[in-house]
Amino acid sequence: MKWTLTLQRAPFWTLLRHLREDPTHLVPYANIFKFFTAHKSHNLLNLGRQVHAHMILRGFVPNALVGAKMVATYASLGDLDSAVLIFDHISHPSSLLYNSIIRAYTLYGFFEKSIETYFRMHLIGLRPDYFTFPFVLKSCADISRLGLGRCVHGQSLKAGLEFDMYVGTSLIDMYVKCGELGDAHGLFDAMPLRDVASWNALIAGYMKDGMTEIAEGMFGRMSNKNIVTWTAMISGYTQNGLGERALQLFDEMVREDSEVKPNWVTIMSVLPACAESAALDHGRRIHKFANSVGLNSNPSVQTALVAMYAKCGSLVDARFYFDQISPKDKGLVAWNTMITAYASHGYGKEAVSTFEGMVRSGVQPDSITFTGLLSGCSHSGLVDVGLKYFYSMKAVYLVDPRHEHYACVVDLLSRAGRLLEAKELISQMPMPAGASIWGALLAGCRKYRNLEIAEVAARKLFALEPENSGNYCCSQILDNLRALLKYQGLKKNPGSSWIEVNGKAHLFLGGDTSHPQSKEIYMLLDALPEKIKASGYVPDTSFVLHDISEEEKEHTLMSHSEKLAVAFGLLNTSPDTILRVTKNLRICGDCHIAMKFISKIYRREIIVRDINRFHHFVDGSCSCGDYW
C-alpha cells in the first residue's frame, strides 16, 4: 500500500518499519495510532485513515488496546463519529477503551454522554482509574450536576484515588463550579500534595463569588504562580468591578523582572478593566504591549481591543481595529461588539449598516446582535427601522424576542412619543414586563407629559423596585409621588463622575470640595454661567428637586459631578485634548445643555459616557441630536 505522507519524522518511519517487520501482530498499529494522537494535526487524519484501511485489508479486527488508541486518534484529529463507531464495535472493551471515549465525549462537550458512558462502564464491572475520574468530574462540573459529582466523588474514595493529585484537583474544580466552595476548600486542605491547578481552581471560585480578599490571601501564599494564576486574579478583579486592581496586577506582570508574562487570555481579561474605568491611556499601553509580543493578531484580542476603545469613548479607533480583523476571523462576537459600540454612541444608522454587512458576510445574528441593533435604533430615533427588525427577528432570523428586546422597542416607541403603542406592546408580551420596560415607558411619559400612562408605569415600577430612588426622580411629573419619596425616606443615589488625565483617574462627587484643585475648579465654574449665558445658555432648574431659591438651584447645577470633571479637564490638559468623562448615572438635562455651550466656547471635544450611552459634544452640538 502506498502511504500519502505529509509528516517526515524519523520516529514515524521507525514505527512503519516495525509494521513491515512484524505484519502478523496488532501491537505496531497501536504504536502508530499513539504517535498520531501525540502529534495532533489535521493533516494526520487522512494518514490515520490509511493506516486503519491497511489494518482492515490485512484482515485485522482491533482489540481493546488498539481500539483505545484508534478512538483517541480519531477524537484528537477531529473525527468523533469514527471514534464512536470504533468504540461501539469492540467486543471485549477495557477500562483504557472506556477512558478514551469518555475523554472524547468530554473534550467535544457531550457531557451527558460522557457521564452516561462512565456509568455503563460501572455496570459491566470495569474499574475507573486516575484517568477516568478527571474527565467525568469535568463533565459534572460543566453542566452543574452536583449530585452526580458527589456520587463520582464517593466512587473515587472507594477506588482510593481521592487524594491523587489529578483526581483531587478535578474534585476541587467540580465543587467550585457547582458553587460549593466550602467542600472545595475542605478537600484542598486535606490534600497531602497540591499542584498549582488546585490553587488556581479555588482562587477562581472565590473571585467568582466576590470573595476577593480570600482569593488575594491565597494568591499571596502561592510560591509557584503560573499564567493561569495571574490571569484568574486579573479576570476576577475585572468581574468584581475592581478595575484599578486588575490594571495594577497587569502592570506587575509586564515588568522586566516578572517571571510570568501575559498571554492572549490575560490581555482579554484586563482590557475590560480599562473599559470599566474609562482608562483609555492604560488601554493604549496594553495594546502597545500586545503589539510588541505579537498578540495583536489574535482574533479574540482584536475583538477585545474593539470593545475597549468603544467603551473608553474612542469610536474611531474601535472601527479602525474592527476593520483590521481578517474577514475569515470576523465572527459573531466581533460583529456584535461593533454593532453594540455604534448603538452605545448613538450612531443608529451605522449600527444598522454594520448589521447588514454582518448578514451579507454570512454570519447568523443572535439575541445579543438584536439587543445592540434595536438599542441603536432607539437612541437615533429610527422607529420604523427598529420595528421592522424587531418583527423580523423570529420570522427571518429565527431569533426569539426576549425581555431585553421588548425593552428596547418600548424605549424606541416611548422616545418617539408613541406611548399608546408602547403600552399596547407591553400588554401583548409573552412574559411579565420588568423594571427596564416600565422605566422606559415612564421616561417617555415624563418627556411628553402624559400623566395617565405615567401613573400606571410608575406604580408598576415602584412595585418592582421600591428602593430604587432613581425611579422616583424620573417620575417628578407626579407631585404625589414626590411626597411618597419623602415619606419612604429614600435618597437619590449620589452622582459621581471621573476623568482620566495623564493616565490617572480623578473622581468627583456632586458638590465635591475634597479635590486638591477644588479652589481652581470652582473659580472656573463660578465664571462659567456668565460666559455661556452670553451664548444663549438658560439654566434648566427643573432638574433640581430641592425646595430652594432659583439662585441656589443654579449654583447647585454648576456643582454637578460631570461639570466638576470637565472643569478639571479644562484646567489640566492642552487645548487639543479630548475630554472624556464617565458618569455613574444618566447625565442631567441641564448638564447636557451646558456641555454643548462649553464645547463651543472652549473649542473642545467633550465625550460623556453615562449609564445609558455616550454623548459626543463638538462645537455646540451633541451626537445624540438632543434625542436621548
Side-chain angles (χ1 to χ4, degrees), residues 330-337 339-340 351-352 354-374 389-390 392-402 405:
K330 201 173 282 181
L332 177 63
V333 176
W335 286 102
N336 283 352
T337 300
I339 291 168
T340 302
V352 170
T354 304
F355 173 81
E356 294 295 344
M358 171 186 182
V359 173
R360 283 194 302 273
S361 72
V363 177
Q364 173 70 19
D366 66 358
S367 63
I368 296 173
T369 316
F370 282 101
T371 301
L373 179 63
L374 294 172
Y389 283 120
F390 176 70
S392 68
M393 282 178 65
K394 178 69 173 175
V396 178
Y397 301 102
L398 307 178
V399 178
D400 289 314
R402 293 162 59 170
H405 304 118

Side-chain angles (χ1 to χ4, degrees), residues 7-44:
L7 188 72
Q8 303 296 326
R9 293 178 185 270
F12 178 69
W13 290 108
T14 301
L15 291 171
L16 283 183
R17 188 172 66 251
H18 291 162
L19 186 62
R20 287 195 298 269
E21 291 172 355
D22 189 8
T24 60
H25 291 90
L26 277 170
V27 173
Y29 288 103
N31 293 332
I32 290 174
F33 283 113
K34 182 179 178 182
F35 178 85
F36 290 156
T37 303
H39 298 81
K40 296 175 186 176
S41 167
H42 287 294
N43 294 331
L44 290 176

